[in-house]
């Protein structure tokens, strides 16, 4: 048996109508109770032991109402229905209503319902029993009232039982669906049909027990209490099922609801508010520097930090807000239409995180970035809101802002980009599919003009979109598993091309860019070794270019891979040097043999401010003092060439010598190439960076 458990929030324009409906239902039920009052006294005066046994059991079983799992808990399951239905068949409408009202009062007190809610539940049962009674009388007549013998097992009686049960179910379900419509604005037929199956199954099973209980009680009243045991078993099994479902929806570390519960909340709130013009927002919060806490202090401290963060967020959750832990250091908050503006909620929760956390004798500074996605502006289902809140959160991290609202223009995960990523994956998984190609740009010694090596540059031609910008392609792939496929395809092509050039008598070193995902892969060195051996290419012919940002992502794991590459004999170059924040400390301890000055500095060397030229000079001097080779990218003209020569740069790469070209064109270019006929001034010694330490 289900009875409604309404939330306290409702649109103001609906509240009056809803409570008017509640008052009307209660008034009608009061009239029915008044009309049946004379029969109640007559029955109670001569009621047999069977009646009292059923009545007492009805009240007792409703002392243990069962709330089904779910974010709303919009109903409770009570089992007095089977007893009041049995009394309806045996002793009439009035006694059945009285017993049901008493049982409802007990279950309402147990659930701490408000007076109006308890009254409405009692009234809905009164009307449901009345409808069942009218159908019963229409089919079997009044002789069904207070029979002196067990019910006959005739077809007419069976039809009366089924017909009255159907009437009870329809009236009860209709009243509940209408109440939900008036209270929250959810479409009537959607609510009616959506729960009809479950309500019919549960309530129908209880109603079917009514005639059986009456038959047993009239035959032998001592058999009646036996029903308590199977009903208690049903109750315990349902409670255990609820507990298990609660566990499946609870994060074991923090005790907060998990992602499964979060999705149910969001789905329920969207369905509840969207159709009546309300809104729902999803907030995703990710802690800053949590990985550093785990690495430096251990996972036990990290777990305690997450527990404390969960408590702190919970303490700041208000009505209309629901908190969940997604996993790792990510939390999520559902903000319903009854709560404050979601941006204000995010700012309040972000401020609560800013206070340091004390764990034993350790004080940890906590901060986080929160992304906000609103329904329906940013999505109309859980997956869309989750994805967009995640995008907004990462954008907040990138900007260094505590809160960021989703904006489509900052979302890289557009359908077009995702389609492009899928097409790229299919191309990489099938060697027969065209599209992936390497272009090669020479790297020339500034001092001698000799071609020392080439850099492999990725080119991708989409079957429909045509040429795709390499930077866009890399940014799309590097955050997915496609990056690994792409890297090894490039390495395969580069190593095979080195083998071909060796057979042609060309002795070149090829530089290939690798990403942080490659360097974090523990099997990367092993896979590279197999490819070199299979193509009979010496490791010294290959050079890998890495970026400072890759080193910062996970220095410990990256350093392990770099040492493996050094042991293999593959040279390493630090690409885009000068754009990161950790250059000095990494140059001292990493096995790199070369640094590449970012093209943005090289192209700006002739600026009047002289800032870029000063940066280039400093990089060349620093690398020279550490014994590292220096490559300048973006050498586009003779003026830049001469300026780099004066500063002592080793290698130039850029359009001044050659644009990137396919491998078949590179061979011809190498045969035609002649070093620039430039009268270069002698390279001056690098000036000291400053006074020696201790001077």
């Amino acid at each position: 048996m289900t009875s409604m458990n309404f939330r306290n929030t409702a649109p103001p324009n609906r509240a009056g109508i809803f409570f008017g409906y509640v008052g009307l239902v209660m008034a009608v039920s009061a009239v029915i109770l008044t009309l049946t009052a004379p029969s109640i006294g007559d029955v109670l005066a001569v009621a047999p032991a069977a009646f009292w046994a059923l009545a007492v059991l009805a009240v007792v079983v409703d002392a243990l109402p069962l709330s089904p799992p779910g974010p709303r808990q919009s109903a409770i399951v009570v089992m007095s229905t089977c007893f009041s239905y049995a009394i309806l068949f045996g002793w009439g409408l009035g006694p059945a209503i009285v017993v049901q009202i008493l049982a409802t009062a007990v279950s309402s007190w147990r659930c701490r319902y408000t007076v109006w809610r308890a009254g409405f539940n009692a009234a809905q049962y009164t009307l449901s029993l009345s409808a069942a009674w009218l159908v019963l009388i229409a089919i079997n007549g009044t002789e069904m009232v207070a029979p002196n013998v067990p019910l006959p097992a005739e077809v007419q009686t069976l039809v009366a039982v089924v017909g009255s049960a159907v009437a009870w179910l329809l009236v009860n379900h209709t009243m509940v669906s209408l109440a939900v419509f008036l209270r929250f604005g959810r479409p009537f037929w959607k609510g009616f049909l959506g729960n009809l199956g479950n309500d019919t199954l549960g309530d129908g099973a209880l109603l079917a027990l009514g005639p059986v209980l009456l038959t047993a009680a009239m035959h032998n009243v001592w058999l009646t209490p036996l029903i308590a045991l199977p009903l208690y078993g049903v109750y315990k099994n349902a409670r255990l099922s609820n507990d298990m479902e609660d566990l499946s929806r609870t994060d074991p570390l923090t005790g907060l609801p998990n992602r499964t519960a979060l999705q149910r909340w969001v789905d329920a709130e969207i369905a509840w508010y969207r159709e009546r013009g309300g809104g729902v927002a999803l907030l995703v919060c990710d802690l800053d520097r949590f990985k550093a806490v785990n690495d430096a202090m251990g996972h036990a401290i990290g777990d305690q930090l997450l527990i404390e963060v969960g408590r702190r967020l919970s303490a700041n959750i208000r009505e209309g807000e629901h908190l969940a832990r997604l996993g790792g250091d990510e939390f999520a908050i559902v903000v319903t239409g009854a709560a404050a503006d979601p941006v204000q909620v995010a700012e309040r929760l972000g401020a609560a995180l800013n206070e340091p956390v004390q764990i034993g004798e350790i004080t940890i500074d906590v901060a986080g970035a929160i992304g906000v996605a609103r329904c329906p502006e940013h999505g109309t289902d859980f997956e869309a809101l989750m994805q967009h809140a995640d995008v907004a959160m990462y954008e907040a991290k990138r900007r260094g802002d505590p809160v960021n609202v989703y904006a489509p223009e900052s979302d890289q995960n557009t359908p077009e980009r995702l389609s492009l990523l899928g097409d790229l994956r299919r191309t990489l998984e099938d060697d027969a599919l065209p599209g992936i190609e390497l272009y090669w740009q020479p790297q020339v010694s500034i001092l001698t003009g000799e071609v020392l090596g080439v850099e492999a540059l990725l080119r991708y031609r989409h079957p429909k979109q045509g040429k795709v910008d390499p930077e866009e392609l890399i940014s799309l792939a590097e955050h997915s598993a496609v990056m690994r496929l792409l890297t090894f395809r490039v390495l395969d092509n580069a190593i095979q091309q080195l083998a071909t050039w060796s057979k042609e008598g060309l002795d070149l070193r090829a530089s290939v860019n690798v990403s942080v995902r490659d360097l974090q892969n523990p099997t990367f060195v092993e896979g590279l070794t197999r490819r070199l051996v299979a193509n009979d290419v010496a490791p010294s012919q290959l050079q890998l270019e890495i970026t400072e940002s890759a080193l910062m992502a996970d220095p410990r794991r990256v350093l392990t891979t770099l040492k493996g590459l050094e042991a293999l004999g593959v040279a390493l170059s630090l690409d885009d040097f000068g754009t990161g924040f950790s250059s000095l400390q990494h140059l001292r301890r990493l096995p790199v043999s070369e640094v590449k000055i970012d093209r943005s500095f090289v192209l700006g060397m002739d600026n009047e401010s002289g800032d870029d030229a000063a940066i280039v000079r400093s990089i060349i001097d620093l690398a020279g003092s550490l014994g590292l080779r220096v490559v300048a990218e973006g050498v586009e003209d003779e003026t830049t060439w001469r300026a780099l020569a004066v500063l002592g740069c080793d290698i130039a790469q850029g359009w001044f010598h050659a644009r990137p070209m396919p491998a078949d064109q590179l061979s011809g270019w190498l045969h035609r190439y002649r070093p620039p006929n430039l009268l270069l001034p002698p390279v001056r010694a690098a000036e000291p960076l400053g006074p020696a330490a201790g001077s």
Side-chain angles (χ1 to χ4, degrees):
M1 168 60 221
T2 56
S3 62
M4 288 311 298
N5 177 6
F6 299 104
R7 289 171 48 147
N8 292 325
T9 56
N13 59 329
R14 293 187 180 276
I17 299 176
F18 169 75
F19 283 107
Y21 167 73
V22 170
L24 178 62
V25 171
M26 294 173 65
V28 173
S29 67
V31 171
I32 295 174
L33 184 60
T34 301
L35 293 175
T36 57
S39 66
I40 296 173
D42 295 340
V43 171
L44 295 181
V46 297
F51 170 84
W52 295 110
L54 293 173
V56 169
L57 285 173
V59 175
V60 170
V61 297
D62 266 14
L64 296 173
L66 182 66
S67 296
R72 292 185 178 277
Q73 295 188 338
S74 60
I76 61 169
V77 178
V78 293
M79 291 175 282
S80 58
T81 307
C82 56
F83 297 101
S84 62
Y85 194 52
I87 292 172
L88 177 73
F89 271 85
W91 292 277
L93 178 60
I97 290 176
V98 171
V99 170
Q100 186 65 71
I101 289 176
L102 291 174
T104 302
V106 171
S107 64
S108 298
W109 168 79
R110 187 74 172 78
C111 294
R112 300 180 180 179
Y113 284 169
T114 59
V115 174
W116 71 262
R117 187 179 299 174
F120 177 80
N121 286 341
Q124 79 179 58
Y125 299 147
T126 298
L127 295 181
S128 301
L129 287 169
S130 300
W133 175 248
L134 290 175
V135 172
L136 185 63
I137 293 299
I139 297 176
N140 256 30
T142 58
E143 69 272 11
M144 291 292 296
V145 180
N148 296 318
V149 295
L151 291 175
E154 300 173 353
V155 174
Q156 184 179 0
T157 302
L158 178 62
V159 172
V161 169
V162 174
S164 61
V166 170
W168 191 103
L169 289 168
L170 286 176
V171 170
N172 187 273
H173 194 63
T174 299
M175 286 193 296
V176 170
S177 300
L178 184 58
V180 171
F181 165 69
L182 294 176
R183 179 69 160 163
F184 303 107
R186 187 180 183 185
F188 172 80
W189 286 110
K190 185 175 181 179
F192 182 87
L193 298 175
N195 297 320
L196 183 60
N198 289 335
D199 287 355
T200 300
L201 181 62
D203 295 341
L206 290 173
L207 292 173
L209 280 175
V212 177
L213 284 173
L214 178 61
T215 303
M218 297 297 293
H219 180 73
N220 185 348
V221 70
W222 294 105
L223 296 176
T224 309
L226 295 179
I227 191 62
L229 187 60
L231 285 179
Y232 182 72
V234 170
Y235 170 82
K236 291 295 289 184
N237 285 335
R239 174 64 66 185
L240 179 61
S241 176
N242 277 7
D243 292 343
M244 293 297 292
E245 186 159 354
D246 284 341
L247 287 176
S248 72
R249 296 182 290 109
T250 302
D251 173 56
L253 178 64
T254 63
L256 294 173
N258 60 14
R259 185 187 180 96
T260 301
L262 175 72
Q263 181 166 359
R264 292 189 178 188
W265 267 331
V266 173
D267 289 342
E269 296 297 345
I270 288 176
W272 216 254
Y273 287 105
R274 183 176 53 192
E275 284 117 351
R276 66 179 181 85
V280 181
L282 181 61
L283 281 55
V284 173
C285 174
D286 184 89
L287 301 183
D288 295 336
R289 302 178 299 279
F290 177 73
K291 186 179 183 304
V293 173
N294 266 343
D295 291 343
M297 303 179 185
H299 289 279
I301 297 296
D303 288 348
Q304 292 181 50
L305 175 60
L306 291 175
I307 293 172
E308 182 57 34
V309 167
R311 289 173 181 165
R312 186 173 294 184
L313 290 174
S314 297
N316 286 273
I317 290 296
R318 300 176 181 174
E319 183 179 357
E321 303 165 11
H322 308 287
L323 173 66
R325 182 190 174 207
L326 297 176
D329 61 337
E330 281 195 340
F331 295 82
I333 303 94
V334 183
V335 180
T336 68
D341 178 79
V343 175
Q344 296 177 359
V345 175
E347 291 172 347
R348 168 172 29 97
L349 296 176
L353 287 178
N354 286 337
E355 293 296 325
V357 173
Q358 190 73 30
I359 300 177
E361 297 181 354
I362 301 173
T363 301
I364 303 175
D365 287 327
V366 181
I370 301 178
V372 179
R374 297 189 184 97
C375 170
E377 300 100 301
H378 305 142
T380 56
D381 57 50
F382 173 76
E383 291 300 333
L385 287 177
M386 190 69 202
Q387 177 185 352
H388 292 158
D390 221 33
V391 169
M393 181 269 292
Y394 280 111
E395 182 66 12
K397 278 187 173 291
R398 188 185 69 81
R399 295 179 181 177
D401 296 334
V403 178
N404 181 59
V405 179
Y406 173 77
E409 56 269 19
S410 64
D411 190 356
Q412 301 294 319
N413 301 311
T414 61
E416 293 78 11
R417 287 174 61 87
L418 294 177
S419 175
L420 177 61
L421 184 63
D423 293 338
L424 176 61
R425 175 188 286 274
R426 284 185 287 274
T427 300
L428 294 171
E429 290 175 342
D430 187 350
D431 292 339
L433 291 178
I436 297 295
E437 186 178 4
L438 292 184
Y439 273 47
W440 306 88
Q441 187 168 38
Q443 297 175 331
V444 179
S445 169
I446 293 179
L447 185 60
T448 66
E450 177 187 3
V451 177
L452 300 178
V454 288
E455 181 182 1
L457 300 172
L458 176 66
R459 297 293 183 266
Y460 175 56
R461 182 179 292 275
H462 189 270
K464 295 181 179 178
Q465 300 181 26
K467 292 182 179 180
V468 179
D469 180 75
E471 291 187 4
E472 178 185 358
L473 193 69
I474 297 299
S475 67
L476 179 65
E478 65 181 350
H479 297 297
S480 71
V482 175
M483 192 67 222
R484 185 172 300 177
L485 296 174
L486 182 59
T487 297
F488 279 117
R489 169 65 73 86
V490 171
L491 284 172
D492 282 335
N493 291 358
I495 292 172
Q496 291 167 9
Q497 187 59 56
L498 284 171
T500 300
W501 283 333
S502 294
K503 293 176 183 177
E504 296 175 356
L506 294 176
D507 184 18
L508 292 174
R509 181 189 69 240
S511 294
V512 177
N513 287 274
V514 292
S515 74
V516 61
R517 293 180 67 92
D518 305 316
L519 299 178
Q520 292 174 340
N521 179 10
T523 64
F524 178 74
V525 177
E526 179 184 348
L528 179 59
T529 303
R530 287 199 306 269
R531 286 165 168 80
L532 291 170
V533 172
N535 290 276
D536 194 24
V537 172
S540 59
Q541 291 182 262
L542 183 66
Q543 178 170 272
L544 299 183
E545 297 188 4
I546 59 178
T547 62
E548 293 180 68
S549 59
L551 299 178
M552 290 294 291
D554 193 346
R556 188 175 303 173
R557 292 174 62 186
V558 167
L559 186 58
T560 300
T561 302
L562 295 184
K563 289 182 176 178
L565 293 170
E566 181 186 30
L568 177 62
V570 173
L572 296 171
S573 174
L574 193 56
D575 197 11
D576 299 336
F577 189 78
T579 60
F581 303 97
S582 57
S583 307
L584 293 178
Q585 68 169 349
H586 287 308
L587 280 180
R588 286 192 303 108
R589 64 190 181 95
L590 292 177
V592 297
S593 58
E594 175 184 283
V595 295
K596 298 187 73 174
I597 305 175
D598 187 70
R599 62 183 290 113
S600 62
F601 299 125
V602 176
L603 292 173
M605 286 180 65
D606 59 350
N607 289 344
E608 293 182 1
S609 66
D611 292 342
D612 289 329
I615 292 174
V616 172
R617 176 194 295 272
S618 299
I619 293 174
I620 293 173
D621 290 345
L622 174 62
S625 65
L626 295 174
L628 301 177
R629 185 172 58 245
V630 182
V631 178
E633 295 182 295
V635 181
E636 310 295 314
D637 52 47
E638 181 179 336
T639 302
T640 305
W641 166 279
R642 288 183 176 277
L644 289 168
V646 170
L647 294 176
C649 185
D650 299 299
I651 298 173
Q653 177 182 337
W655 288 7
F656 176 63
H657 295 291
R659 297 192 178 197
M661 64 192 81
D664 55 354
Q665 295 181 18
L666 180 65
S667 299
W669 181 88
L670 288 172
H671 285 98
R672 297 190 306 270
Y673 170 73
R674 296 293 181 271
N677 186 17
L678 298 173
L679 182 59
L680 294 176
V683 177
R684 63 178 176 81
E687 297 178 357
L689 295 177
S695 61

